[in-house]
Amino acid sequence: DIQMTQSPSVLSASVGDRVTLNCKASQNINKYLNWYQQKLGEAPKLLIYNTNNLQTGIPSRFSGSGSGTDYTLTISSLQPEDVATYFCFQHNSWPLTFGSGTKLEIK
Amino acid sequence: QVTLKESGPGILQPSHTLSLTCSFSGFSLSTYGMGVSWIRQPSGKGLEWLASIWWNGNTYNNPSLKSRLTVSKDTSNNQAFLKVTSVDTADTATYYCAHTRPTGPHYWGQGVMVTVSS
């Protein structure tokens, strides 16, 4: 199975900050990497698919990059409504696997 | 507009079989490239992919649950199903179904809480 490691596990930042979340796969996942946002008490929401494709309706302050085993989600200017846990997810090979999440907080 | 809603028993006893239904609209499981995935999340913990079923009937299960999982679909009624046999307390979680494309799960249902308890 491909292991997905996210860092940091908790991130605290100020409104307006540029924020970067990291995800590392245990082997090459060929850019088949998605990012999901989960707010407290809600279902996950797709933000980015296949590394850098913004899902319809998602604000442009969210962007993704990466290749091989290393991927990042960037929020260009953190907003209060971005408080959530963010999960990466690989769909390169079965079984599909999620990272353990990064909890994003506002300072 | 794609919507999905999970339904299930709420609570069941250890060793019993969990049966979940995903009722959806806005897409068809007979359309090329469409699928439904099942994912679960124990309270306060991370996400675990369980299984996916595709428009052509192909299914993929998480081998970590060995042979306990069965996923199926009723295309005519826009429903997908998940069965988990021999449940125990470790299966207590919120279970989600998600509209899935070759680019992964896109739209998710609200989830259904399942508690395994005697």
Side-chain angles (χ1 to χ4, degrees):
Chain A
D1 298 6
I2 297 177
Q3 308 303 315
M4 306 299 292
T5 302
Q6 290 189 243
S7 61
S9 55
V10 179
L11 179 58
S12 184
S14 299
V15 173
D17 281 355
R18 182 181 181 87
V19 170
T20 299
L21 285 65
N22 302 298
C23 179
K24 186 175 184 68
S26 59
Q27 62 191 73
N28 182 9
I29 56 171
N30 298 300
K31 296 192 173 186
Y32 292 114
L33 188 284
N34 294 0
W35 289 96
Y36 296 88
Q37 176 194 63
Q38 186 177 32
K39 296 183 178 180
L40 196 62
E42 298 184 4
K45 178 196 296 186
L46 177 65
L47 300 176
I48 303 278
Y49 62 92
N50 288 0
T51 296
N52 56 10
N53 294 277
L54 195 65
Q55 171 68 342
T56 303
I58 300 302
S60 59
R61 65 180 180 275
F62 292 93
S63 64
S65 64
S67 63
T69 61
D70 294 297
Y71 299 84
T72 60
L73 173 69
T74 299
I75 307 173
S76 60
S77 178
L78 186 65
Q79 300 302 302
E81 60 266 32
D82 299 336
V83 168
T85 300
Y86 293 81
F87 295 95
C88 62
F89 170 79
Q90 69 82 19
H91 57 99
N92 178 72
S93 59
W94 310 98
L96 312 182
T97 47
F98 289 90
S100 56
T102 292
K103 186 176 183 180
L104 181 56
E105 302 172 339
I106 300 287
K107 276 183 186 174
Chain B
Q1 179 189 4
V2 172
T3 64
L4 307 97
K5 187 172 184 179
E6 308 85 351
S7 58
I11 186 167
L12 72 165
Q13 294 183 339
S15 80
H16 287 204
T17 294
L18 170 62
S19 295
L20 297 172
T21 299
C22 176
S23 301
F24 55 84
S25 63
F27 69 100
S28 173
L29 261 180
S30 62
T31 300
Y32 179 89
M34 295 295 106
V36 168
S37 295
W38 290 92
I39 297 136
R40 71 181 179 183
Q41 184 174 38
S43 180
K45 297 190 177 180
L47 298 162
E48 180 182 28
W49 171 79
L50 298 176
S52 298
I53 185 165
W54 295 94
W55 84 100
N56 57 5
N58 285 352
T59 62
Y60 296 87
N61 294 351
N62 194 326
S64 69
L65 280 83
K66 298 186 171 56
S67 56
R68 298 172 54 216
L69 295 177
T70 303
V71 61
S72 58
K73 62 184 173 83
D74 179 349
T75 302
S76 301
N77 289 305
N78 285 342
Q79 291 182 317
F81 310 97
L82 178 72
K83 289 190 187 299
V84 185
T85 61
S86 304
V87 297
D88 68 12
T89 55
D91 296 308
T92 294
T94 295
Y95 286 74
Y96 297 99
C97 63
H99 168 232
T100 301
R101 302 177 184 174
T103 47
H106 276 235
Y107 301 101
W108 296 52
Q110 64 189 25
V112 61
M113 289 186 61
V114 174
T115 301
V116 179
S117 175
S118 54

